[in-house]
Amino acid sequence: MINQVYRLVSPRQFEVTYKDRSLQSDYIVVRPTHLSICAADQRYYTGTRGKEAMAKKLPMALIHEGIGKVVYDPKGEVKVGTRVVMVPNTPTETDEIIAENYLRTSKFRSSGYDGFMQDYVFLNRDRIVELPEELNPSVLAFTELITIAMHSIVRFEDRAHRRRRVFGVWGDGNLGYITTLILKRRYKDSKVIIFGKNQYKLDHFSFVDEAYTIDEIPDDLLIDHAFEAVGGKGSQYAIDQMIDHLHPEGSISLMGVSEYPVEVNTRMILEKGITLIGSSRSGRSDFVNTVEFMKEHPDFVEYMGLLVGEMQEVRTIQDIVEAFEKDLTSSWGKTVMEWKI
Ligand SMILES: NC(=O)C1=CN([C@@H]2O[C@H](COP(=O)(O)OP(=O)(O)OC[C@H]3O[C@@H](n4cnc5c(N)ncnc54)[C@H](OP(=O)(O)O)[C@@H]3O)[C@@H](O)[C@H]2O)C=CC1
Ligand SMILES: O=C(CO)[C@H](O)[C@H](O)COP(=O)(O)O
Ligand SMILES: [Zn+2]
């Protein structure tokens, strides 16, 4: 069959390519229904990802957050029409210590390999996770972003000390919202504090114990562990504040991506004995955990509904451009594309 793949060829420019795909293979075929735009896709779309990476990775289909319906399973094990979330990381080996998303041989969609902006996505059997029918598809579209927070929290649980009385999350955007809500649900007796730049964004965090704009943090406020969900140059300022407000031997979980290296006050990290935990992307087990978590906490999915910012029906390449442009000017939440192309 001929599959149409919608690739970014240069900043703000998409082109369709036609790929001949055989159904005589082991791949499960998924028709995407709802796709969501990540900050990483925007760095490629706008060309801010850096000249070298742009030259190396384009042309490439963007998008690594998405759900769809199974249209073909060569083994007939998954029913046609089953709603699934697609796992963008594709490992080519296994390792008993290193997780699939940290193996240098793994391929990650929309970062050097074609993402989900295609008519049909061909996936290995273990790269789909079945979703409950009753949950809001616009929220499910960004399940992958929820797995990022979930993965980071799982790593934190393995690596940080066990006193978990007060958590601080920096970043009043999508990832900050998701991380604070998961922490609130997982640690019912702990205090969760959000630190952000904008009061109007902080107003969305109705479920937290405390919220501060970053220029109004009380000097004597102390936390046990911090999560960074800022990225860019802002993460430098956030990490500085985390170091100031952490109790000794606390941890900092880093999630925000910065295009350029940021300065870190290593002297105070040493003096306070702080553990830095970096975390990037996610793997199948994070998707399974996240789907289970959403089934167990229907109110979590309801709160996630507040993160659905723009919705864009996509039938043409121009609609894709509109979705990305809308996303750039949107001040809150995720942009979801209803994939009808
Ligand atoms: N590790 C991983 O695998 C992944 C990482 N990411 C990365 O996480 C980061 C956040 O993503 P996302 O939530 O979608 O982006 P958002 O832009 O929605 O969130 C970032 C938020 O942080 C706010 N901010 C800026 N500076 C500070 C500061 N010093 N302290 C507190 N808040 C601050 C921003 O405000 P304002 O807009 O006003 O500047 C914005 O509201 C990005 O870098 C993204 O690439 C995303 C997915 C996966
Ligand atoms: O968003 C992400 C995962 O959800 C990662 O930040 C993204 O994969 C980073 O990739 P790149 O190196 O291409 O910017
Ligand atoms: Zn992403």
Side-chain angles (χ1 to χ4, degrees):
M1 66 179 278
I2 301 295
N3 192 26
Q4 305 201 83
V5 181
Y6 306 89
R7 285 181 168 154
L8 185 77
V9 291
S10 60
R12 292 185 147 85
Q13 200 185 347
F14 294 98
E15 268 177 28
V16 61
T17 37
Y18 303 89
K19 278 186 88 176
D20 196 4
R21 299 293 308 235
S22 166
L23 291 178
Q24 313 311 121
S25 69
D26 290 338
Y27 292 120
I28 289 192
V29 186
V30 173
R31 166 71 185 156
T33 56
H34 297 78
L35 302 178
S36 166
I37 299 176
C38 173
D41 296 310
Q42 280 295 7
R43 290 191 287 270
Y44 289 107
Y45 175 74
T46 53
T48 50
R49 178 64 174 85
K51 245 186 179 168
E52 209 178 301
M54 294 291 285
K56 198 168 139 207
K57 300 192 181 205
L58 266 46
M60 169 176 81
L62 297 182
I63 303 294
H64 53 265
E65 300 176 5
I67 61 166
K69 296 221 157 161
V70 170
V71 290
Y72 179 68
D73 173 8
K75 287 195 178 160
E77 288 171 356
V78 187
K79 245 174 78 186
V80 168
T82 304
R83 185 198 262 175
V84 293
V85 57
M86 299 177 279
V87 181
N89 190 57
T90 310
T92 58
E93 58 172 331
T94 52
D95 189 284
E96 62 192 64
I97 302 288
I98 303 167
E100 60 163 83
N101 44 315
Y102 298 106
L103 289 170
R104 307 304 286 172
T105 49
S106 292
K107 297 174 176 177
F108 193 82
R109 291 180 186 268
S110 95
S111 181
Y113 302 90
D114 281 330
F116 299 144
M117 289 214 306
Q118 315 190 21
D119 282 356
Y120 297 98
V121 184
F122 289 67
L123 298 133
N124 290 328
R125 189 160 296 274
D126 65 347
R127 297 296 104 183
I128 56 169
V129 175
E130 191 172 336
L131 290 167
E133 270 305 319
E134 66 280 6
L135 299 183
N136 178 358
S138 305
V139 167
L140 295 176
F142 53 88
T143 300
E144 191 267 350
L145 187 60
I146 304 175
T147 69
I148 300 300
M150 192 62 88
H151 175 72
S152 178
I153 292 170
V154 167
R155 279 167 76 70
F156 154 79
E157 280 167 0
D158 277 353
R159 290 163 176 83
H161 71 63
R162 291 208 317 279
R163 182 179 296 159
R164 281 133 200 215
R165 289 184 301 210
V166 187
F167 290 103
V169 178
W170 268 255
D172 48 10
N174 307 313
L175 195 53
Y177 184 87
I178 295 167
T179 307
T180 42
L181 191 52
I182 298 180
L183 287 173
K184 230 16 244 172
R185 289 293 169 274
R186 263 176 111 102
Y187 297 97
K188 292 206 167 29
D189 300 326
S190 306
K191 189 189 259 193
V192 180
I193 309 178
I194 178 74
F195 300 92
K197 245 174 82 179
N198 320 271
Q199 189 53 53
Y200 77 92
K201 290 192 189 180
L202 289 174
D203 289 343
H204 291 89
F205 292 69
S206 55
F207 47 82
V208 294
D209 296 288
E210 289 170 24
Y212 294 98
T213 49
I214 50 176
D215 50 355
E216 285 178 350
I217 308 177
D219 289 343
D220 58 353
L221 187 155
L222 286 171
I223 58 175
D224 295 315
H225 303 286
F227 285 81
E228 181 268 331
V230 175
K233 198 67 187 164
S235 58
Q236 183 170 323
Y237 192 55
I239 294 166
D240 265 346
Q241 286 192 330
M242 291 173 185
I243 295 170
D244 286 347
H245 290 280
L246 265 180
H247 279 294
E249 301 227 33
S251 70
I252 297 180
S253 295
L254 300 168
M255 291 182 287
V257 176
S258 300
E259 212 50 59
Y260 301 101
V262 298
E263 283 173 27
V264 176
N265 183 348
T266 55
R267 167 174 283 273
M268 286 314 292
I269 290 189
L270 309 186
E271 273 189 33
K272 283 191 155 179
I274 291 170
T275 304
L276 287 186
I277 308 168
S279 135
S280 179
R281 302 175 179 169
S282 58
R284 181 186 166 83
S285 63
D286 302 300
F287 279 77
V288 172
N289 283 347
T290 299
V291 172
E292 281 311 305
F293 185 82
M294 289 196 286
K295 283 194 216 158
E296 281 163 25
H297 299 88
D299 72 312
F300 172 83
V301 182
E302 249 171 67
Y303 274 113
M304 283 299 125
L306 206 66
L307 258 196
V308 181
E310 301 286 345
M311 292 289 297
Q312 170 81 37
E313 202 175 87
V314 170
R315 292 183 187 276
T316 63
I317 286 194
Q318 189 49 36
D319 293 338
I320 300 175
V321 171
E322 265 173 44
F324 275 79
E325 291 296 329
K326 262 195 210 170
D327 185 63
L328 285 174
T329 54
S330 149
S331 58
W332 170 257
K334 300 286 293 174
T335 299
V336 177
M337 296 183 276
E338 285 180 85
W339 198 243
K340 295 183 172 172
I341 200 163

PDB file of all heavy atoms in Angstrom, residues 62-74:
ATOM      1  N   LEU A  62       6.878  15.134  12.047  1.00  0.00           N
ATOM      2  CA  LEU A  62       6.879  15.512  13.467  1.00  0.00           C
ATOM      3  C   LEU A  62       5.818  14.716  14.247  1.00  0.00           C
ATOM      4  O   LEU A  62       5.096  13.933  13.667  1.00  0.00           O
ATOM      5  CB  LEU A  62       6.607  17.013  13.592  1.00  0.00           C
ATOM      6  CG  LEU A  62       7.647  17.950  12.958  1.00  0.00           C
ATOM      7  CD1 LEU A  62       7.256  19.409  13.201  1.00  0.00           C
ATOM      8  CD2 LEU A  62       9.047  17.676  13.518  1.00  0.00           C
ATOM      9  N   ILE A  63       5.763  14.989  15.509  1.00  0.00           N
ATOM     10  CA  ILE A  63       4.752  14.484  16.479  1.00  0.00           C
ATOM     11  C   ILE A  63       5.095  13.098  17.060  1.00  0.00           C
ATOM     12  O   ILE A  63       5.220  12.118  16.337  1.00  0.00           O
ATOM     13  CB  ILE A  63       3.307  14.440  15.889  1.00  0.00           C
ATOM     14  CG1 ILE A  63       2.882  15.834  15.403  1.00  0.00           C
ATOM     15  CG2 ILE A  63       2.320  13.888  16.914  1.00  0.00           C
ATOM     16  CD1 ILE A  63       2.717  16.921  16.453  1.00  0.00           C
ATOM     17  N   HIS A  64       5.235  13.129  18.398  1.00  0.00           N
ATOM     18  CA  HIS A  64       5.452  11.871  19.122  1.00  0.00           C
ATOM     19  C   HIS A  64       4.432  11.678  20.242  1.00  0.00           C
ATOM     20  O   HIS A  64       4.611  10.840  21.109  1.00  0.00           O
ATOM     21  CB  HIS A  64       6.888  11.802  19.660  1.00  0.00           C
ATOM     22  CG  HIS A  64       7.268  12.997  20.480  1.00  0.00           C
ATOM     23  ND1 HIS A  64       7.920  14.082  19.959  1.00  0.00           N
ATOM     24  CD2 HIS A  64       7.065  13.277  21.784  1.00  0.00           C
ATOM     25  CE1 HIS A  64       8.114  14.981  20.905  1.00  0.00           C
ATOM     26  NE2 HIS A  64       7.596  14.512  22.038  1.00  0.00           N
ATOM     27  N   GLU A  65       3.382  12.527  20.242  1.00  0.00           N
ATOM     28  CA  GLU A  65       2.294  12.344  21.208  1.00  0.00           C
ATOM     29  C   GLU A  65       1.044  12.031  20.387  1.00  0.00           C
ATOM     30  O   GLU A  65       0.602  12.890  19.607  1.00  0.00           O
ATOM     31  CB  GLU A  65       2.031  13.637  21.989  1.00  0.00           C
ATOM     32  CG  GLU A  65       3.217  14.144  22.796  1.00  0.00           C
ATOM     33  CD  GLU A  65       2.928  15.492  23.481  1.00  0.00           C
ATOM     34  OE1 GLU A  65       1.790  15.996  23.419  1.00  0.00           O
ATOM     35  OE2 GLU A  65       3.865  16.044  24.069  1.00  0.00           O
ATOM     36  N   GLY A  66       0.497  10.820  20.545  1.00  0.00           N
ATOM     37  CA  GLY A  66      -0.700  10.552  19.761  1.00  0.00           C
ATOM     38  C   GLY A  66      -1.350   9.220  20.049  1.00  0.00           C
ATOM     39  O   GLY A  66      -0.739   8.289  20.588  1.00  0.00           O
ATOM     40  N   ILE A  67      -2.636   9.190  19.678  1.00  0.00           N
ATOM     41  CA  ILE A  67      -3.416   7.950  19.811  1.00  0.00           C
ATOM     42  C   ILE A  67      -4.057   7.630  18.460  1.00  0.00           C
ATOM     43  O   ILE A  67      -4.099   8.481  17.567  1.00  0.00           O
ATOM     44  CB  ILE A  67      -4.512   8.068  20.893  1.00  0.00           C
ATOM     45  CG1 ILE A  67      -5.517   9.191  20.549  1.00  0.00           C
ATOM     46  CG2 ILE A  67      -3.896   8.325  22.250  1.00  0.00           C
ATOM     47  CD1 ILE A  67      -6.793   9.138  21.389  1.00  0.00           C
ATOM     48  N   GLY A  68      -4.551   6.416  18.344  1.00  0.00           N
ATOM     49  CA  GLY A  68      -5.204   6.046  17.094  1.00  0.00           C
ATOM     50  C   GLY A  68      -5.980   4.756  17.249  1.00  0.00           C
ATOM     51  O   GLY A  68      -6.170   4.258  18.366  1.00  0.00           O
ATOM     52  N   LYS A  69      -6.441   4.242  16.113  1.00  0.00           N
ATOM     53  CA  LYS A  69      -7.199   2.980  16.119  1.00  0.00           C
ATOM     54  C   LYS A  69      -6.466   1.954  15.274  1.00  0.00           C
ATOM     55  O   LYS A  69      -5.960   2.291  14.192  1.00  0.00           O
ATOM     56  CB  LYS A  69      -8.588   3.218  15.542  1.00  0.00           C
ATOM     57  CG  LYS A  69      -9.399   4.179  16.414  1.00  0.00           C
ATOM     58  CD  LYS A  69     -10.824   3.747  16.568  1.00  0.00           C
ATOM     59  CE  LYS A  69     -11.362   4.376  17.845  1.00  0.00           C
ATOM     60  NZ  LYS A  69     -12.745   4.451  17.985  1.00  0.00           N
ATOM     61  N   VAL A  70      -6.424   0.734  15.768  1.00  0.00           N
ATOM     62  CA  VAL A  70      -5.758  -0.334  15.011  1.00  0.00           C
ATOM     63  C   VAL A  70      -6.599  -0.646  13.766  1.00  0.00           C
ATOM     64  O   VAL A  70      -7.815  -0.843  13.861  1.00  0.00           O
ATOM     65  CB  VAL A  70      -5.603  -1.592  15.904  1.00  0.00           C
ATOM     66  CG1 VAL A  70      -5.151  -2.790  15.081  1.00  0.00           C
ATOM     67  CG2 VAL A  70      -4.618  -1.304  17.033  1.00  0.00           C
ATOM     68  N   VAL A  71      -5.931  -0.644  12.604  1.00  0.00           N
ATOM     69  CA  VAL A  71      -6.667  -1.000  11.380  1.00  0.00           C
ATOM     70  C   VAL A  71      -6.217  -2.363  10.834  1.00  0.00           C
ATOM     71  O   VAL A  71      -6.908  -2.958  10.025  1.00  0.00           O
ATOM     72  CB  VAL A  71      -6.523   0.080  10.277  1.00  0.00           C
ATOM     73  CG1 VAL A  71      -7.273   1.346  10.650  1.00  0.00           C
ATOM     74  CG2 VAL A  71      -5.068   0.392   9.965  1.00  0.00           C
ATOM     75  N   TYR A  72      -5.040  -2.818  11.292  1.00  0.00           N
ATOM     76  CA  TYR A  72      -4.578  -4.116  10.777  1.00  0.00           C
ATOM     77  C   TYR A  72      -3.577  -4.741  11.743  1.00  0.00           C
ATOM     78  O   TYR A  72      -2.631  -4.083  12.179  1.00  0.00           O
ATOM     79  CB  TYR A  72      -3.915  -3.918   9.401  1.00  0.00           C
ATOM     80  CG  TYR A  72      -3.396  -5.209   8.806  1.00  0.00           C
ATOM     81  CD1 TYR A  72      -4.270  -6.222   8.390  1.00  0.00           C
ATOM     82  CD2 TYR A  72      -2.021  -5.428   8.660  1.00  0.00           C
ATOM     83  CE1 TYR A  72      -3.787  -7.413   7.858  1.00  0.00           C
ATOM     84  CE2 TYR A  72      -1.536  -6.609   8.115  1.00  0.00           C
ATOM     85  CZ  TYR A  72      -2.426  -7.604   7.724  1.00  0.00           C
ATOM     86  OH  TYR A  72      -1.947  -8.772   7.196  1.00  0.00           O
ATOM     87  N   ASP A  73      -3.839  -6.001  12.099  1.00  0.00           N
ATOM     88  CA  ASP A  73      -2.858  -6.762  12.876  1.00  0.00           C
ATOM     89  C   ASP A  73      -2.601  -8.066  12.126  1.00  0.00           C
ATOM     90  O   ASP A  73      -3.516  -8.887  11.993  1.00  0.00           O
ATOM     91  CB  ASP A  73      -3.421  -7.059  14.285  1.00  0.00           C
ATOM     92  CG  ASP A  73      -2.502  -8.002  15.062  1.00  0.00           C
ATOM     93  OD1 ASP A  73      -1.380  -8.297  14.576  1.00  0.00           O
ATOM     94  OD2 ASP A  73      -2.903  -8.456  16.141  1.00  0.00           O
ATOM     95  N   PRO A  74      -1.383  -8.258  11.610  1.00  0.00           N
ATOM     96  CA  PRO A  74      -1.114  -9.463  10.803  1.00  0.00           C
ATOM     97  C   PRO A  74      -1.385 -10.753  11.570  1.00  0.00           C
ATOM     98  O   PRO A  74      -1.724 -11.773  10.965  1.00  0.00           O
ATOM     99  CB  PRO A  74       0.380  -9.329  10.454  1.00  0.00           C
ATOM    100  CG  PRO A  74       0.938  -8.300  11.370  1.00  0.00           C
ATOM    101  CD  PRO A  74      -0.203  -7.413  11.775  1.00  0.00           C
TER     102      PRO A  74
END
